[in-house]
Amino acid sequence: MLTLRPAQARGHADHGWLKSAHSFSFADYHDPQHVHFGPLRVINEDRIAAGTGFGRHGHRDMEIVSYVLDGALAHEDSMGNRASIVPGEVQRMSAGTGVQHAEFNHNPGGETHFLQIWIIPQAPGGEPGYEQRLFAPEEKRGRLRLVMSPDGAEGSVTVRQDARLYAGLFDADESAQLPLAGGRLGYVHMARGRAIVNGHALAAGDAMKLIDEAEVVVENGQQAEVLVFDLPR
């Protein structure tokens, strides 16, 4: 079964310094039909204005992944990590028993555009953790590159859940197929551009839920950047 969700159907928030589109219920946006999909709990498409950001705040019992599309995201946390996340990098922070962090756009002349992804871990608690890795454009060109997995396969960042995230860049006749094992869920988020996914046209911000489907097929991209999740039920 395939279910399409257009970008405009997401929840939206405009805080002035932050503009956000919520794929799932978040903060003041609540949609009982879109609370989570398997352990995928949040995909927020955030745009942070120049010189602003999220002050220090806390999380626990969540796997938090940041995927930057444009600009740079400065990060600092109570584990002592200080970093700048740029396009091509994937950051994973395991909140575990509790962590404090802050995120800022220090660029005075442009916004930071990124995806904030939350995944419910297999078990609560555990020591907080942090990881950040670069995946060059050529690794994602015309293919679905594994960037997150439970075991760090193929140099991906690790996550405390039986979930995998693939990222790909597609143009023209480039295409890729990702098999889905029986009983697994698939979720596709079009980060930018356009592509045909399982025969359906998706544009930036659109999503597709797949239940009891054998594979995800991405083709006919137009400057497309695609994220594909392979999830447990």
Side-chain angles (χ1 to χ4, degrees):
M1 181 175 69
L2 301 176
T3 304
L4 302 178
R5 188 160 191 239
Q8 61 267 29
R10 296 177 293 177
H12 291 83
D14 187 345
H15 301 286
W17 65 274
L18 170 69
K19 294 178 174 61
S20 187
H22 308 311
S23 296
F24 299 95
S25 296
F26 189 86
D28 293 333
Y29 166 65
H30 180 69
D31 182 342
Q33 300 301 314
H34 298 282
V35 176
H36 65 93
F37 188 62
L40 180 57
R41 176 63 187 86
V42 167
I43 300 180
N44 287 346
E45 182 178 1
D46 289 340
R47 297 175 185 269
I48 304 175
T52 68
F54 301 92
R56 182 166 276 227
H57 59 283
H59 297 280
R60 63 178 300 143
D61 296 329
M62 195 65 67
E63 302 292 291
I64 301 171
V65 175
S66 296
Y67 188 99
V68 175
L69 295 167
D70 294 295
L73 183 68
H75 168 96
E76 65 89 17
D77 62 46
S78 55
M79 294 177 281
N81 297 299
R82 291 180 178 272
S84 179
I85 311 154
V86 297
E89 292 185 318
V90 176
Q91 177 211 61
R92 183 270 304 160
M93 185 178 72
S94 296
T97 54
V99 66
Q100 297 278 324
H101 78 138
E103 296 164 303
F104 285 94
N105 172 14
H106 290 313
N107 180 0
E111 72 177 15
T112 293
H113 179 199
F114 78 109
L115 299 175
Q116 181 183 170
I117 300 163
W118 293 9
I119 294 173
I120 302 167
Q122 284 185 315
E127 184 177 349
Y130 182 91
E131 192 174 8
Q132 181 176 335
R133 296 196 179 179
L134 172 66
F135 301 92
E138 55 268 25
E139 297 183 63
K140 297 173 283 187
R141 171 55 57 195
R143 64 187 289 251
L144 291 170
R145 171 51 159 112
L146 183 66
V147 299
M148 182 199 80
S149 69
D151 56 2
E154 301 176 26
S156 59
V157 300
T158 57
V159 67
R160 298 171 185 176
Q161 177 57 268
D162 183 19
R164 291 164 181 82
L165 171 60
Y166 299 80
L169 304 172
F170 297 91
D171 273 296
D173 60 354
E174 295 171 332
S175 65
Q177 297 79 37
L178 178 70
L180 295 174
R184 301 285 290 182
L185 303 173
Y187 189 93
V188 179
H189 179 86
M190 188 64 59
R192 63 173 133 213
R194 297 174 178 274
I196 303 298
V197 181
N198 287 38
H200 297 270
L202 297 186
D206 292 346
M208 175 185 286
K209 295 180 179 180
L210 301 95
I211 301 174
D212 296 326
E213 294 288 331
E215 62 180 357
V216 177
V217 180
V218 182
E219 56 193 343
N220 299 118
Q222 299 175 36
Q223 298 182 320
E225 186 160 4
V226 185
L227 299 185
V228 179
F229 296 82
D230 177 355
L231 304 162
R233 288 182 185 263

